[in-house]
């Protein structure tokens, strides 16, 4: 068989295997493939030369050649798998994020995790007090129509009381004029309308939320602030219930040495109306600059629901009566935490915010 075309098959196969083993990248392997097992490869050339052999020799030579091809192909696919694995781990290595620096920075400057701001905390505390007294918590829109913010509350367009809540009106086309609500009282109307529609009177609810006024910010005013509205509609409600709720709230929220008082006032939607004041928490009633030496701080307004308002939402004033109150959440926060300037509440100065937890 010295004349056999396969005389050097072993060495040739070894050479192919060596070439495969030496290939170090996937690209090079792909490039080398035609030369290793393609039509012009040595194996294919040998295959063609078998035609010159006797049929019997041809069969055994064919088997040898087939085995050599199998070995080469197996080596090729094994090498391909190895190179693919290597390429993938190189990619992973490249993509790896080195967190060492971040961790080092954490140790020297711990990242601070935020917490709810003073207003959010105060709102939650106020809600808790009222929920403890049997009230539910409701919500209303911050953008209101003129009707909810004013007219349903007995404040017609030319009424002088509008001055108290004057604001920017956006005309969306007759009859709809909208405003950023100037108090939470419009939520009273929404709640009463809903209760009438669903037959769910009585109502005992508080409605906290953001309000807007055309005010220039100073130590005790912000153009955007928060109120919590209270509304009770039930049978046989009297002014004593209103005074009792206000006093119970005052002691529960500010502590037993702080008390409340109601002073006659005017609101178009309540009759009679009263301003709701609490002992100044700065001087504990002694008199100081914050309370203009009166010993009292005004928190908000209150009063018995005006029958006109009940009528506007379709509630029978003969059967039902009620009261409402509304006061500033920001003002409560200011009183309880002795914040001398309200503007600190919206300035996002972390030296201020970090004092709250
Ligand atoms: N909405 C009134 C204000 O913002 C306060 C108020 C609420 C008065 C409820 C009476 C009843 O000034």
């Amino acid at each position: 068989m010295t004349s056999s075309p396969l005389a050097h098959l072993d060495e040739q196969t070894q050479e192919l295997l060596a070439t495969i083993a030496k290939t170090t990248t996937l690209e090079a392997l792909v490039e080398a493939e035609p030369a290793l097992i393609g039509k012009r490869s040595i194996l294919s050339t040998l295959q063609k030369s078998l035609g010159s052999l006797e049929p019997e020799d041809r069969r055994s030579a064919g088997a040898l050649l087939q085995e050599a091809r199998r070995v080469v192909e197996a080596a090729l696919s094994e090498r391909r798998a190895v190179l693919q694995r290597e390429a993938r781990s190189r990619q992973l290595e490249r993509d790896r994020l080195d967190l060492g620096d971040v961790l080092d920075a954490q140790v020297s400057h711990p990242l601070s995790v935020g917490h709810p701001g003073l207003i959010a905390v105060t709102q939650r505390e106020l809600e808790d007090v009222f929920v403890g007294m049997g009230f539910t918590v409701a919500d209303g829109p911050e953008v209101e129509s003129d009707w909810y913010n004013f007219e349903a509350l007995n404040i017609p367009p030319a009424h002088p009381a509008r001055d108290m809540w004057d604001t920017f009106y956006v005309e969306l086309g007759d009859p709809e004029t909208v405003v950023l609500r100037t108090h939470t009282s419009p939520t009273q109307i929404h709640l009463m309308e809903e209760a009438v529609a669903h037959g769910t009177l009585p109502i005992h609810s508080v409605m906290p939320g953001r309000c807007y006024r055309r005010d220039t910010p100073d130590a005790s005013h912000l153009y955007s602030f928060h109120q919590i509205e209270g509304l009770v509609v039930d049978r046989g409600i009297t002014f004593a219930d209103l005074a009792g709720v206000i006093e119970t709230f005052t002691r529960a929220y500010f502590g037993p040495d702080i008390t409340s008082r109601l002073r006659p006032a005017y609101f178009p939607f309540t009759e009679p109306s009263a301003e709701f004041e609490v002992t100044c928490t700065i001087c504990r009633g002694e008199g100081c600059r914050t309370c203009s030496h009166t010993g009292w701080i005004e928190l908000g307004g209150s009063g018995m629901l005006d029958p006109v308002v009940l009528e506007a939402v379709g509630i029978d004033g003969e059967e039902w009566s009620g009261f409402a109150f509304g006061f500033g959440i920001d003002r409560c926060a200011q009183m309880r935490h002795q914040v001398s300037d309200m503007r600190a509440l919206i300035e996002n100065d972390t030296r201020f915010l970090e004092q709250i937890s």
Side-chain angles (χ1 to χ4, degrees), residues 165 182-185 188 213 227 229-230 267 269-270 300-303 324-326:
W165 296 281
T182 59
H183 50 177
T184 43
S185 296
Q188 287 183 34
R213 282 190 201 172
Q227 287 189 335
E229 191 84 6
F267 297 102
F269 38 96
T270 47
S302 66
F325 56 83

Side-chain angles (χ1 to χ4, degrees), residues 203-217:
I203 300 170
H204 308 90
S205 287
V206 287
M207 303 83 94
R210 191 186 281 272
C211 306
Y212 304 84
R213 282 190 201 172
R214 194 192 40 117
D215 277 339
T216 304

Side-chain angles (χ1 to χ4, degrees), residues 302-322:
S302 66
M304 301 306 290
L305 296 182
D306 193 310
V308 175
V309 175
L310 292 176
E311 201 179 305
V313 293
I315 292 180
D316 179 2
E318 293 295 318
E319 183 182 355
W320 304 93
S321 56

